[in-house]
Amino acid sequence: MDEHTGDLGAVTRPDPDPEELILGRDAELARLFRAVDSEAADPVLILAGEMGTGKSALLDRAVRRAEASGARVLRAEGSESESSLAFSALHQLLRSLRAEMDGIPERQRAALVHAFGSGPAPLGPDLMLVGVAVLNLLSDLGDRGPVLVVLDDAQWCDRASLDVLSFAARRLAGEPVTILIGARSGDHVPGFDRHVPTLTLEPLDNTSAGRLLDLQPTSPTSHTRTRILEQAGGNPLALVELTRAASAHDTAAPPQSAGPLPLTDHLERIFAARQSELPTDTAEALLLLAAMDSTDSAIAAAVGLPAPRDAAWLPAEQAGLVRHTGRDVRFRHPLVRSAVYHAASSGAQRKAHLALAEMLRGAPDRRAWHLAAACPGPDADVSAELERTAARARRRGGHAAAGKALQRAAELAPRREDSARLLIEAASAAVFTGDIAWVEELAAAARARTDDPSLLASAAVLAGRLAVLTVRHATVFSRLTEAAEQLALSYPAAALDLLADAAVVRFYAGEDTQRHRIADLLRRLPEDASSAGVRTWVMAVSDPFDERAGLVALLPQLATEAETRPEQLTAVGIMAWILDETPQAVRVFDEAFHRWELQGALPEGLGGAVAWAYVERGRWEQAREACTRTTAVGRAVGLDHAVACAATVDAAVLAFQGDASSARARAEEALDLIDPLESRSVAVYARRALGAAAAAEGAYETAYDQFRMVFTADGTPMHYHACYPALADLAAAAVRCGRGDEAAQIVERSANTLADNASPRLRALISRARGLLANPEDAEPHFRAALADPVLEYWPFERAQTLLDLAEWLRRRRRITEARGPLTEALETFRRLGARPWIERARVESRAAGLDVTDTAPDALAELSPQQQQIIRLAARGLTNREIGEKLFLSPRTVSSHLYRSFPKLGITARSQLRDLIEGTLATARQQG
């Protein structure tokens, strides 16, 4: 029976075993243990909860279980002070793996070491390459046994680390690697908050809360117990600390605040009250520890922090403020650290930070932030230190860290002009994080500090650059054009840059009123030689047909001028693609990528043009590789629109290759990520892919319905550029489901709209559509016209489709001998491309035409998935698993697994047989074609 002490309303007990304090969490522990034991389907699990709900305690228990089973544990904890240091959390996580880093490819190792601030810079900061390096490290560790990665207080981890870890995490399926992430409920953890399973810690129920109170050294009873239960609301930390406070204050109830306070504020006051009763040397040590935010044994003694076993810590430990963890001392909870720090005077805080800064001369980035924390007001020298910190962060790819450093530097800059300039630079770094709200905040702050038209223009351009990559096209277009109009007279160059972004939005949105708005503003801007490239971009992207011939004539000169500037070469390639000069677009893209491997953290506006150009040119593997990279980058920085663009291209290729189910999944993913009325181009591409997938399965009614959706009820294209290539596919589906009359009206409406401005490619597609829809006796001239221009060989898939259509028409007219030539050429093209549905259709037609086509599968790769085919082809070129993984953003284990599963389907047993198999497949295709 309990012994009550009536004055305190409590029962005194010995200190409970920490393991016993995890109460009411049986289900949560079981879920964590399943993840640790690799029994969960997902390699990543977020443990979310309010402050004080016991996330760290549960993660500790998971770690102990993993270690007991022999797993390798990598652990890092986010901290407020290091959240502005690029890759600090990743460095903390991987610092024990220095030896293992020597085992990954040199290019990856160099990128990773440079990200940590050591070693020479690689070709440029590449977040994806760092991600592949981390993926390889974890995969290599997994080869030796299970691996557990634990990231606690993820809400305070630096953005660069989170981007890299989320990139790797999405590619760990099938690896013996588990990632557990602890984060506060409601806090955004970039990269990990979508499609990642989350285990949320709810408040303890009354029974568990009561048991926790019973286990305290001084267990409250009566009215005290009731008040604690009411105030704590099931929060374990609050239950423990309110009980401790009630006992320490020798009162009948927990200490009351002056008014209603959030629970966290209430607890901070309790911790601060305990600190006020500590000896001076203990209080000073606590403040130094709070200013450090994380224990660093290398500088702890140098700044006067007592050794872990020093008697100065004993009062703080007895007060429940700190605990010993092996070789160091840590706060029992982040709220304690916050309470200690904010309870100190500004003078004491400044003294602590200056002491730390003095000892960190060898760590300039951390030193700069301590100097900034010690600044009572503007300080030009510290502002300059932060600016240098930002430059170092940007060189390593830490754009969020650079933006934060520049933002703080702006706050400390004595001159308003310098402050505005720094805010503009901060916005330019923040653009690469994908955080549009932050970019706009920085741009607005800059505008409030300056009247300089050049800086104001830069602010608008920077905000616009990122805005075009979001899904808010209508709003973004209005902002861009309004800013351009305001700057047209005072700063026309910036106004033109804004119109260049507005043209990209116009392409995505497809609104015709936007074309008129852009044209009106463009007429107001002066023309000069230096702006010719940007003006051409605006015209080509926003209205590619009005002055097509003149725009095409400018492309060679623009390509020559951009020869040494890869990013401008890429822009020329995009213009060439939009103008249906695909051969020139691909040549320019190849040259650009030879000079520059698309490094940087964001896809450029209209980056999907690169993949589409490769699709049209028949280089489907390269198109899918481009989609893989865009998807990886877009997901890392949260740009759904970029991901959707890549998904539509990927879906189209998958449909052409006959993987209809995967094509549908990718197209539906794209549609889920955008508003089809805001992003008409993406919606049209997705519908075209869905139509191609249905056609591949012979579901022509469904295919027609999908293609029909890219035109309005009266037959007007939903998008001024993306719809026209669908005309022939619409006609092909229509004639197979009895909708020819309707389709013919749509085709003719588009033909009349384009008139003489149609490109040779579109004229060919319209001719093919007319041939399909015409009366049989009238079809031949249309098919012949679609094949007449030799340049159409640069669109091999479309040409092969037309050849097959012509051959079918010839055979039905009993002109079998004439049909065999087009059939042979079409079949060879389909085989080379791996267009399985079209291969089969051409083979059936070839047999009907009397050609000797065997029934054996002509393509040894036909039974493999598109990704397996990519891997096989790369392996056949001699690339290692690591090199393939780096190119396709996969772990070597995943590559190896695909190869292992593919070999039996290919009838081979060794990698050395792949090259002969691929060459043999092509030779067989040519012979059978």
Side-chain angles (χ1 to χ4, degrees), residues 477 480-481 484-485 494-504 517-523 525 534 537-538 542:
F477 185 85
L480 290 170
T481 51
E485 187 170 26
L496 189 57
D497 284 340
L498 288 165
L499 280 187
D501 288 331
V504 175
R517 174 74 164 143
I518 289 172
D520 177 60
L521 290 171
L522 193 61
R523 283 192 292 269
L525 299 177
V534 183
W537 169 274
V538 173
S542 63

Side-chain angles (χ1 to χ4, degrees), residues 460-461 464-469 476-477 480-481 483-485 492-508 514 517-519 521-522 525 531-543 571 574-575 578 604-606 720:
V461 169
R465 181 186 175 192
L466 180 58
V468 299
L469 297 172
V476 168
F477 185 85
L480 290 170
T481 51
E485 187 170 26
L496 189 57
D497 284 340
L498 288 165
L499 280 187
D501 288 331
V504 175
V505 179
R506 145 78 170 153
F507 184 90
Y508 287 141
Q514 295 172 344
R517 174 74 164 143
I518 289 172
L521 290 171
L522 193 61
L525 299 177
S531 67
V534 183
R535 290 186 71 91
T536 304
W537 169 274
V538 173
M539 296 167 67
V541 173
S542 63
D543 191 2
I574 291 171
M575 285 188 279
I578 288 176
E604 291 296 321
L606 292 182
Y720 65 95

Side-chain angles (χ1 to χ4, degrees), residues 393-479:
R394 291 191 84 162
R395 286 196 294 271
R396 286 154 40 211
H399 300 289
K404 289 180 180 179
L406 288 164
Q407 186 173 16
R408 181 65 175 135
E411 294 169 357
L412 294 176
R415 300 174 64 246
R416 288 176 63 84
E417 294 82 358
D418 290 333
S419 179
R421 174 185 60 81
L422 289 166
L423 285 166
I424 296 300
E425 293 183 18
S428 72
V431 160
F432 290 96
T433 68
D435 189 341
I436 181 65
W438 186 24
V439 173
E440 292 177 343
E441 172 195 334
L442 292 167
R447 287 192 292 269
R449 285 170 170 78
T450 184
D451 296 324
D452 185 328
S454 64
L455 288 177
L456 291 172
S458 296
V461 169
L462 286 168
R465 181 186 175 192
L466 180 58
V468 299
L469 297 172
T470 69
V471 297
R472 305 180 304 165
H473 298 314
T475 300
V476 168
F477 185 85
S478 295
R479 289 185 182 179

Side-chain angles (χ1 to χ4, degrees), residues 688-711:
R688 283 171 50 186
L690 289 169
E697 295 178 318
Y700 294 111
E701 186 79 41
T702 301
Y704 181 80
D705 288 342
Q706 292 292 344
F707 292 129
R708 181 65 181 84
M709 289 176 69
V710 308
F711 299 91

Side-chain angles (χ1 to χ4, degrees), residues 340-671:
V340 168
Y341 185 80
H342 293 293
S345 66
S346 57
Q349 292 173 354
R350 185 168 184 269
K351 179 181 177 181
H353 284 295
L354 288 174
L356 290 166
E358 182 62 28
M359 297 310 304
L360 287 167
R361 291 187 176 275
D365 295 339
R366 294 179 66 188
R367 180 175 186 270
W369 280 105
H370 280 295
L371 288 173
C375 280
D379 189 307
D381 291 337
V382 177
S383 179
E385 286 277 0
L386 286 168
E387 192 172 358
R388 288 189 284 272
T389 287
R392 287 189 290 270
R394 291 191 84 162
R395 286 196 294 271
R396 286 154 40 211
H399 300 289
K404 289 180 180 179
L406 288 164
Q407 186 173 16
R408 181 65 175 135
E411 294 169 357
L412 294 176
R415 300 174 64 246
R416 288 176 63 84
E417 294 82 358
D418 290 333
S419 179
R421 174 185 60 81
L422 289 166
L423 285 166
I424 296 300
E425 293 183 18
S428 72
V431 160
F432 290 96
T433 68
D435 189 341
I436 181 65
W438 186 24
V439 173
E440 292 177 343
E441 172 195 334
L442 292 167
R447 287 192 292 269
R449 285 170 170 78
T450 184
D451 296 324
D452 185 328
S454 64
L455 288 177
L456 291 172
S458 296
V461 169
L462 286 168
R465 181 186 175 192
L466 180 58
V468 299
L469 297 172
T470 69
V471 297
R472 305 180 304 165
H473 298 314
T475 300
V476 168
F477 185 85
S478 295
R479 289 185 182 179
L480 290 170
T481 51
E482 287 170 8
E485 187 170 26
Q486 293 169 2
L487 294 168
L489 294 177
S490 60
Y491 209 75
L496 189 57
D497 284 340
L498 288 165
L499 280 187
D501 288 331
V504 175
V505 179
R506 145 78 170 153
F507 184 90
Y508 287 141
E511 280 281 359
D512 206 46
T513 55
Q514 295 172 344
R515 173 175 64 89
H516 298 302
R517 174 74 164 143
I518 289 172
D520 177 60
L521 290 171
L522 193 61
R523 283 192 292 269
R524 304 186 200 179
L525 299 177
E527 294 189 43
D528 58 72
S530 63
S531 67
V534 183
R535 290 186 71 91
T536 304
W537 169 274
V538 173
M539 296 167 67
V541 173
S542 63
D543 191 2
F545 299 113
D546 187 34
E547 299 182 28
R548 181 182 177 277
L551 294 171
V552 169
L554 292 173
L555 293 177
Q557 177 185 343
L558 293 175
T560 300
E561 293 172 353
E563 192 171 13
T564 59
R565 291 170 289 182
E567 67 283 2
Q568 291 192 20
L569 266 179
T570 303
V572 174
I574 291 171
M575 285 188 279
W577 171 75
I578 288 176
L579 293 167
D580 260 342
E581 295 294 312
T582 301
Q584 184 171 353
V586 170
R587 287 195 300 272
V588 170
F589 289 145
D590 286 345
E591 179 64 21
F593 302 156
H594 175 70
R595 297 174 180 273
W596 177 45
E597 295 185 347
L598 281 183
Q599 291 159 358
L602 282 185
E604 291 296 321
L606 292 182
V610 177
W612 275 119
Y614 283 132
V615 170
E616 293 169 8
R617 189 66 186 85
R619 289 160 59 171
W620 292 355
E621 287 181 53
Q622 282 178 279
R624 295 206 70 209
E625 288 175 21
C627 291
T628 298
R629 182 176 183 93
T630 299
T631 299
V633 176
R635 283 178 175 160
V637 295
L639 292 176
D640 289 347
H641 199 266
V643 175
C645 290
T648 60
V649 186
D650 212 22
V653 175
L654 288 165
F656 298 157
Q657 292 176 330
D659 190 347
S661 61
S662 296
R664 279 192 291 271
R666 290 292 273 152
E668 294 294 350
E669 177 187 355
L671 291 172

